[in-house]
């Protein structure tokens, strides 16, 4: 049975082993000196020296460089035009508070009615829908601020919402230094589109959990040893390269080139082992943040949030895979451009994969037929055009399914044989049935997860599969 204690123990074991492994690499590589030896079979002498290659100043610089880079990358990422501050000095929430608490000589009550009037005034002369957006931003700001105050996590100073079309949220640490550093949460707009208020709070509570547990601090601290290791290995390779370039070209040169590439291959294996350790720890970190959120909001709300996010991710993948097929069949299309166009046009709250596939095919057929008729200046009425679209849709759908059947294992494409309604929120009975089926069959909920397990899609390195997260939460709280 999964448990918080076991997962926490595994995480700390992986982090400690990762740190020991990295420090050993730094210590070992830093004491190796390379010299030329044409009489040796390896043509190089690797000697152990007492003096460490990297001086203290270099190590200190390498330790702080990732921190400085992460600060500027973090600050730059929230200055994009599609970023809106929900909580912070430039947020709408803060502006409303200032309006009613400071610049308020008439002492107007801080009431819902008066706030609505203020938002309406702000929307005057702005594009249609501005008032609704302002009201949504203010409501989300109040909801998130109340949740942060409830948890008592004071390090979270800002919350932003990006206009990304995929459901995601993350926490980043701005300067991992006590008393100075801050935690900033980024929520993609699509999270707001597909989740209800309780589910949104469950997602935000997950991010608050990262801040409360100092996960971002730990992650930032682990970047520095990685950079030091890379520099230490680079110094060793540079010394071997310098010897290679300073001596005349002969048979020994070819041996040395082979040795350099062999060492690079070994370094990659060594670094990959460290990477596997840290990704294992990251996945455990996500499970523990899930546990934190479930304690605050209840595991069922978080499970439904994860379930909907997983279904929306399926929709995004379906649109991209369909465009891959259409690009194969009609190679004049730009696959990535069409995928982004579809993602912008489809309902942002759509989480039904069948409807997403129907939408992508219909959009493609309509745009293609429209281009043909306009290109040849042919006249056609709406009724005839729609009939052509319907016939073309059916044929293209059949072609697409046949293409997918050939490309992947048929078992992957078949929907789980689980007797619950995947189009509605899960209740307690649904959850019991779902977890029982997953544990008995060792199956996964989503097609994307099966494709990752089969190696047909790149694996998500830092996050566990949704199915694994659901089983963990269920086993912890039931």
């Amino acid at each position: 049975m999964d448990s918080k204690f076991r997962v926490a123990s595994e995480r700390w074991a992986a982090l400690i082993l990762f740190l020991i492994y990295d420090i050993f690499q730094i210590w070992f590589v830093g004491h190796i000196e390379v010299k030329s030896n044409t009489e040796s079979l390896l043509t190089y002498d690797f000697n152990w020296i007492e003096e460490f290659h990297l001086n203290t100043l270099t190590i200190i610089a390498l330790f702080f460089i990732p921190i400085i880079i992460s600060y500027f990358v973090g600050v730059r990422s929230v200055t994009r035009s599609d970023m809106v501050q929900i909580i912070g000095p430039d947020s709408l929430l803060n502006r409303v508070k200032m309006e009613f608490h400071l610049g308020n000589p008439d002492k107007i009550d801080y009431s819902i009615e008066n706030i609505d009037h203020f938002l309406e005034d702000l929307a005057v002369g702005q594009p249609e829908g501005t008032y609704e957006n302002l009201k949504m931003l203010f409501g989300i700001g109040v909801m998130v601020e109340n949740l942060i105050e409830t948890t008592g996590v004071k390090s979270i100073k800002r919350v932003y919402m990006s206009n990304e079309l995929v459901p995601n949220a993350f926490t980043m640490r701005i300067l991992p230094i006590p008393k100075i550093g801050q935690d900033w949460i980024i929520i993609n707009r699509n999270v707001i589109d597909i989740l209800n208020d309780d589910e949104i709070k469950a997602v935000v509570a997950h991010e608050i959990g990262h801040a409360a547990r100092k996960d971002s601090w730990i992650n930032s601290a682990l970047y520095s040893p990685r950079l030091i290791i890379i520099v230490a290995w680079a110094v060793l390779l540079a010394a071997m390269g310098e010897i290679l370039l300073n001596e005349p070209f002969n048979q020994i040169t070819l041996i040395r080139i082979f040795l350099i590439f062999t060492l690079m291959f070994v370094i990659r294996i060594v670094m990959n082992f460290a990477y596997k350790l840290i990704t294992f720890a990251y996945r455990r970190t996500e499970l523990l943040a899930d546990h934190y959120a479930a304690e605050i909001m209840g595991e069922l709300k978080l499970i439904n949030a994860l379930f909907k996010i997983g279904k929306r991710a399926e929709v995004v993948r379906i649109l991209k895979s369909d465009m891959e097929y259409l690009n194969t069949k009609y190679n004049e299309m730009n696959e990535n451009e069409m995928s982004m166009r579809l993602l912008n046009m489809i309902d942002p709250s759509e989480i039904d994969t069948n409807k997403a596939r129907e939408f992508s095919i219909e959009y493609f057929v309509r745009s293609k037929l429209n281009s043909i008729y306009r290109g040849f200046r042919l006249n056609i009425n709406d009724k005839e055009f729609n009939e052509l679209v319907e016939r073309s849709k059916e044929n293209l759908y059949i072609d697409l399914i046949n293409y997918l059947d050939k490309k992947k294992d048929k078992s992957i494409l078949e929907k789980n044989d689980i007797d619950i309604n995947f189009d509605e929120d899960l209740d307690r009975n649904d959850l019991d049935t779902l977890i029982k089926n997953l544990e008995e069959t060792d199956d996964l909920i989503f097609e994307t997860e099966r494709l990752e397990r089969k190696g047909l899609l790149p694996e998500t390195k830092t996050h566990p599969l949704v199915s694994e997260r659901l089983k963990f939460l269920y086993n912890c709280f039931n």
Side-chain angles (χ1 to χ4, degrees):
M1 175 181 285
D2 285 312
S3 69
K4 179 184 176 183
F5 176 77
R6 183 180 69 80
V7 170
S9 300
E10 290 175 348
R11 172 181 180 255
W12 279 111
L15 289 174
I16 291 170
L17 182 58
F18 169 83
L19 196 58
I20 293 172
Y21 184 71
D22 279 5
I23 291 173
F24 174 77
Q25 282 187 75
I26 295 170
W27 173 80
F28 178 78
V29 179
H31 286 89
I32 297 295
E33 182 182 51
V34 181
K35 290 184 178 180
S36 175
N37 185 352
T38 55
E39 296 180 359
S40 169
L41 180 64
L42 296 177
T43 71
Y44 286 113
D45 271 345
F46 297 92
N47 301 317
W48 181 266
I49 59 172
E50 293 297 326
E51 185 180 355
F52 194 72
H53 280 309
L54 302 177
N55 59 45
T56 304
L57 186 62
T58 303
I59 293 175
I60 293 173
L62 292 174
F63 184 83
F64 282 102
I65 283 174
I67 296 174
I68 296 169
I69 291 174
S70 67
Y71 171 78
F72 284 106
V73 169
V75 171
R76 183 177 176 81
S77 67
V78 298
T79 57
R80 302 198 319 257
S81 58
D82 66 331
M83 283 284 188
V84 179
Q85 196 174 105
I86 297 176
I87 292 176
D90 300 324
S91 66
L92 176 63
L93 177 63
N94 192 58
R95 182 174 178 182
V96 172
K97 286 182 177 181
M98 296 288 286
E99 179 72 19
F100 283 90
H101 290 277
L102 294 180
N104 186 10
D106 299 327
K107 297 183 178 179
I108 302 172
D109 290 337
Y110 186 64
S111 64
I112 295 175
E113 183 180 358
N114 289 331
I115 291 170
D116 275 348
H117 290 322
F118 176 70
L119 297 180
E120 287 174 352
D121 290 341
L122 288 179
V124 172
Q126 299 298 320
E128 185 178 352
T130 298
Y131 168 71
E132 287 74 15
N133 281 330
L134 291 174
K135 193 171 181 179
M136 180 271 294
L137 287 172
F138 178 77
I140 295 295
V142 171
M143 183 172 68
V144 172
E145 183 182 59
N146 290 339
L147 184 60
I148 292 172
E149 290 177 356
T150 300
T151 60
V153 181
K154 297 180 180 180
S155 64
I156 301 173
K157 302 299 183 183
R158 297 187 188 183
V159 178
Y160 291 87
M161 184 171 68
S162 74
N163 201 31
E164 295 289 336
L165 297 169
V166 291
N168 192 23
F170 60 93
T171 304
M172 58 183 179
R173 181 70 183 177
I174 304 299
L175 290 179
I177 301 173
K179 305 294 184 181
I180 298 176
Q182 301 178 1
D183 287 300
W184 294 358
I185 295 175
I186 314 295
I187 307 169
N188 288 359
R189 170 62 188 264
N190 200 222
V191 170
I192 312 299
D193 292 327
I194 66 174
L195 304 182
N196 62 37
D197 286 353
D198 283 339
E199 292 162 353
I200 293 169
K201 286 196 285 187
V203 171
V204 174
H206 171 98
E207 300 308 323
I208 293 173
H210 283 306
R213 295 169 44 78
K214 305 292 188 293
D215 292 334
S216 299
W217 290 53
I218 295 170
N219 294 344
S220 298
L222 292 175
Y223 289 144
S224 297
R226 304 302 297 143
L227 183 60
I228 297 172
I229 289 169
I230 291 170
V231 171
W233 281 116
V235 169
L236 185 64
L237 287 170
M240 294 174 69
E242 184 180 9
I243 293 171
L244 176 70
L245 295 174
N246 288 339
E247 295 187 3
F249 184 87
N250 50 40
Q251 290 182 337
I252 291 178
T253 305
L254 296 177
I255 296 174
R256 285 176 172 168
I257 292 173
F258 173 77
L259 283 173
I260 289 174
F261 278 99
T262 301
L263 180 58
M264 290 172 68
F265 178 75
V266 171
I267 291 171
R268 181 168 183 176
I269 294 174
V270 170
M271 300 286 277
N272 279 346
F273 178 73
Y275 182 70
K276 288 183 182 297
L277 282 175
I278 200 63
T279 52
F280 178 85
Y282 284 160
R283 289 178 177 178
R284 272 25 189 191
T285 298
E286 293 300 320
L287 292 177
L288 294 172
D290 282 343
H291 191 281
Y292 180 94
E295 286 183 322
I296 295 172
M297 294 301 303
E299 81 279 10
L300 195 57
K301 292 173 183 175
L302 178 60
I303 284 172
N304 271 299
L306 292 171
F307 197 71
K308 289 179 182 177
I309 289 171
K311 290 199 286 186
R312 178 62 181 176
E314 285 281 274
V315 167
V316 174
R317 184 190 58 78
I318 287 291
L319 293 178
K320 290 183 177 179
S321 66
D322 289 357
M323 288 307 105
E324 179 185 340
Y325 163 72
L326 294 171
N327 185 57
T328 303
K329 194 173 181 68
Y330 307 97
N331 55 21
E332 73 274 11
M333 298 299 297
N334 185 305
E335 172 186 331
N336 293 327
E337 182 181 337
M338 182 62 88
S339 297
M340 290 306 301
R341 195 183 304 170
L342 279 172
L343 205 51
N344 277 285
M345 294 189 67
I346 196 171
D347 182 354
S349 63
E350 183 60 74
I351 56 176
D352 188 306
T353 53
N354 291 325
K355 291 180 180 178
R357 175 155 283 151
E358 290 171 5
F359 177 85
S360 66
I361 292 174
E362 180 170 353
Y363 176 79
F364 178 80
V365 169
R366 285 187 177 277
S367 61
K368 195 71 177 174
L369 288 176
N370 188 52
S371 175
I372 292 172
Y373 277 95
R374 291 181 64 181
F376 289 99
R377 298 182 181 180
L378 300 175
N379 293 323
I380 185 172
N381 60 45
D382 290 344
K383 183 180 179 181
E384 292 173 332
F385 185 82
N386 289 332
E387 288 175 354
L388 276 174
V389 168
E390 289 303 316
R391 291 205 303 269
S392 301
K393 274 171 52 180
E394 292 175 7
N395 294 331
L396 194 56
Y397 184 83
I398 293 170
D399 289 347
L400 176 59
I401 296 302
N402 290 334
Y403 165 77
L404 294 173
D405 279 337
K406 291 177 182 177
K407 185 178 179 185
K408 308 168 196 164
D409 294 341
K410 192 171 182 180
S411 60
I412 296 176
L413 299 174
E414 294 173 350
K415 194 171 183 179
N416 272 345
D417 187 21
I418 298 175
D419 187 22
I420 62 173
N421 189 345
F422 279 78
D423 298 323
E424 296 180 0
D425 288 351
L426 300 175
D427 59 23
R428 187 65 60 181
N429 291 332
D430 290 334
L431 184 59
D432 291 341
T433 303
L434 175 62
I435 299 301
K436 182 180 178 181
N437 276 270
L438 290 177
E439 292 184 339
E440 287 179 353
T441 63
D442 193 31
D443 202 354
L444 299 168
I445 299 172
F446 298 111
E447 181 182 314
T448 302
E449 296 179 324
R450 299 191 199 111
L451 292 172
E452 288 184 15
R453 176 182 281 183
K454 290 278 188 178
L456 299 174
L457 276 180
E459 189 178 13
T460 305
K461 300 295 184 183
T462 58
H463 285 70
L465 299 175
V466 173
S467 299
E468 295 172 354
R469 297 170 77 170
L470 266 57
K471 286 194 288 186
F472 168 75
L473 289 169
Y474 181 85
N475 290 328
C476 282
F477 291 92
N478 292 276

